[in-house]
Amino acid sequence: MNQNPAQATSADGVWHRCHLLPDADPANAIRDAALAVQDGRIAWLGPLAGLPADYAGLPRHDAGNAWITPGLVDCHTHLVYGGQRADEFAMRLAGAGYEEIARAGGGIVSTVRATRAADEDTLFALAAARLAPLLAEGVTAIEIKSGYGLDLATERKQLRVARRLGAAFGVTVHTTFLGAHALPPEYAGRADDYIALVCDTMLPALAGEGLVDAVDAFCESVGFSLAQTARVFEAAAGHGLRVKLHAEQLSNLGGSVLAARHRALSADHLEHLDEAGVAALAGSGTVAVLLPGAYYFLRDTNLPPLALLRRHGVPMAIATDHNPGTSPVTSLLLMMNMACTLFRMTVPEVLAGVTRHAARALGAADRHGLLAAGRGADFVLWQVDSPAELAYWFGRNPAAAVVRQGRVYGAAGARA
């Protein structure tokens, strides 16, 4: 599927011979529907029989009896980095432990080293290749974190590349500053000093350059403490930025409660989340972002508490968590299937998890995740008989065409 905006065509006109899932909920499907696009925005949608006369003269797009959903949203990725860690993966499978891999130059330090060494154009080319399959599967908005630089120059480089990807491919990119991802080697044993650098130097500079949409941290025993994370969150608030948190992935430090206290957009991973954390998320409106790719790749056995999240009404999003160490995946559709098979989520839950709840996790619920009059034209045509097929197949991409920012990518069927 071609992803070059210069070669994409306008989506303006009436899309007919289709079935709509305006909010991605199969219970609210509109069969035998139509969708009108004008000036790159949705002007009207509903049953074809009710198409207003004002739109009758617009060009027609034959959707070929496809199902149309909102564009997918991948709300947690680490897409921009240098190198890869396949050799480390092979070592782990052969029985090597963390210390042996670290002595061999592996682990996050190897990605930091490669990212620091790569120039911006190299990072762009590498990230573009990872982004392409996500776009082909219908992703129209994506979050991209920094966090593999751990110094100002490289964090800046990562965020600049993320912005370039959005402009080059006509996709909405939300950038997240993850300076508090790990402790760089030059700060070994001086975590508080490094957090001071993140809060007092990196964040002011990057926010001042308009490169940051949100701020994240890794709150874990192998990452940063609650107190250090709180300091990052307070610095973010001082720059008017919302926060997110890697929380409760390896243990329960209470990061979700801290995130809720700061009205975080999302708390992500959550395999060790307890009911107190779930209740805190529910009370704050923070989205729970579940990451089945990392769960699978790490061969985890501690499931996120789905029953508690449902009982407390916490919105649940699904994302790829694309990164070189624990989730080198470039398929959000596969993550939907894994969320169903590994986490026992339902089809309506995962459809919501990659559309409206994922948009909310980015603070973009007013722009993404729903089809509605007045919103930008971001939607996907799927050649399936049932929306359940989007979570059913794996290793297959049923997207017939993707509309991003009012432009059509891929074959959209014959035009009448």
Side-chain angles (χ1 to χ4, degrees):
M1 186 179 291
N2 175 47
Q3 301 299 336
N4 185 347
Q7 297 174 13
T9 58
S10 171
D12 282 9
V14 174
W15 296 78
H16 66 114
R17 275 219 311 146
C18 62
H19 314 295
L20 298 179
L21 290 184
D23 61 356
D25 187 342
N28 298 323
I30 305 173
R31 290 183 174 270
D32 301 318
L35 184 151
V37 177
Q38 285 186 313
D39 299 323
R41 308 194 75 78
I42 297 172
W44 179 89
L45 73 165
L48 177 60
L51 180 68
D54 290 350
Y55 306 117
L58 293 178
R60 292 292 182 109
H61 299 273
D62 186 343
N65 217 33
W67 281 91
I68 296 181
T69 69
L72 306 188
V73 179
D74 194 351
C75 64
H76 181 132
T77 85
H78 307 250
L79 205 67
V80 178
Y81 56 87
Q84 43 75 26
R85 281 154 65 184
D87 290 343
E88 175 184 325
F89 174 64
M91 289 177 65
R92 191 162 59 244
L93 292 176
Y98 178 83
E99 289 187 6
E100 182 180 349
I101 290 171
R103 284 197 303 270
I108 191 173
V109 173
S110 68
T111 301
V112 171
R113 187 184 309 115
T115 306
R116 287 179 175 182
D119 62 29
E120 189 172 309
D121 288 341
T122 298
L123 290 176
F124 177 86
L126 292 170
R130 300 167 191 137
L131 178 62
L134 293 167
L135 298 181
E137 282 191 351
V139 169
T140 61
I142 187 168
E143 185 241 27
I144 300 177
K145 303 178 191 291
S146 65
Y148 287 120
L150 310 183
D151 61 25
L152 177 57
T154 315
E155 294 288 305
R156 176 187 285 119
K157 186 167 56 176
Q158 285 189 272
L159 294 168
R160 282 174 52 86
V161 168
R163 291 282 197 235
R164 280 181 60 187
L165 290 168
F169 293 100
V171 61
T172 303
V173 171
H174 291 257
T175 55
T176 297
F177 172 55
L178 180 56
H181 189 196
L183 196 61
E186 61 269 25
Y187 276 85
R190 297 189 294 132
D192 285 336
D193 290 342
Y194 177 66
I195 289 296
L197 177 72
V198 167
C199 296
D200 301 337
T201 301
M202 291 193 200
L203 180 54
L206 299 172
E209 294 167 25
L211 293 174
V212 182
D213 296 321
V215 175
D216 197 352
F218 182 39
C219 184
E220 269 295 349
S221 58
V222 297
F224 296 97
S225 69
L226 284 171
Q228 290 161 345
T229 302
R231 185 172 175 186
V232 173
F233 283 3
E234 288 157 8
H239 291 277
L241 295 168
R242 300 290 300 275
V243 297
K244 305 164 69 72
L245 187 63
H246 287 62
E248 273 73 83
Q249 180 185 11
L250 307 175
S251 62
N252 188 350
L253 292 187
S256 295
V257 173
L258 176 67
R261 190 178 305 137
H262 287 265
R263 300 285 174 179
L265 290 168
S266 69
D268 305 30
H269 285 290
L270 306 178
E271 285 85 348
H272 292 266
L273 181 64
D274 61 12
E275 187 159 13
V278 173
L281 296 180
S284 67
T286 299
V287 177
V289 177
L290 307 182
L291 305 170
Y295 177 91
Y296 164 82
F297 197 78
L298 292 172
R299 293 182 287 185
D300 204 343
T301 58
N302 209 81
L303 289 166
L306 269 292
L308 287 174
L309 291 166
R310 289 178 180 128
R311 186 186 312 155
H312 286 268
V314 177
M316 295 180 285
I318 304 296
T320 62
D321 187 22
H322 176 90
N323 74 81
T326 63
S327 190
V329 62
T330 56
S331 172
L332 192 54
L333 293 178
L334 178 59
M335 296 303 93
M336 293 169 65
N337 178 273
M338 283 190 176
C340 292
T341 56
L342 298 178
F343 295 168
R344 303 297 190 266
M345 294 180 73
T346 67
V347 169
E349 283 175 335
V350 296
L351 286 170
V354 296
T355 54
R356 62 182 188 273
H357 293 331
R360 182 173 172 181
L362 295 182
D366 60 335
R367 301 183 297 284
H368 294 282
L370 292 172
L371 302 177
R375 289 185 176 236
D378 290 283
F379 54 87
V380 191
L381 281 69
W382 306 99
Q383 287 296 339
V384 294
D385 295 324
S386 162
E389 292 183 60
L390 302 185
Y392 167 74
W393 298 107
F394 53 101
R396 175 188 172 194
N397 178 10
V402 180
V403 175
R404 296 195 308 272
Q405 299 181 355
R407 307 288 292 175
V408 185
Y409 297 81
R415 290 189 183 186

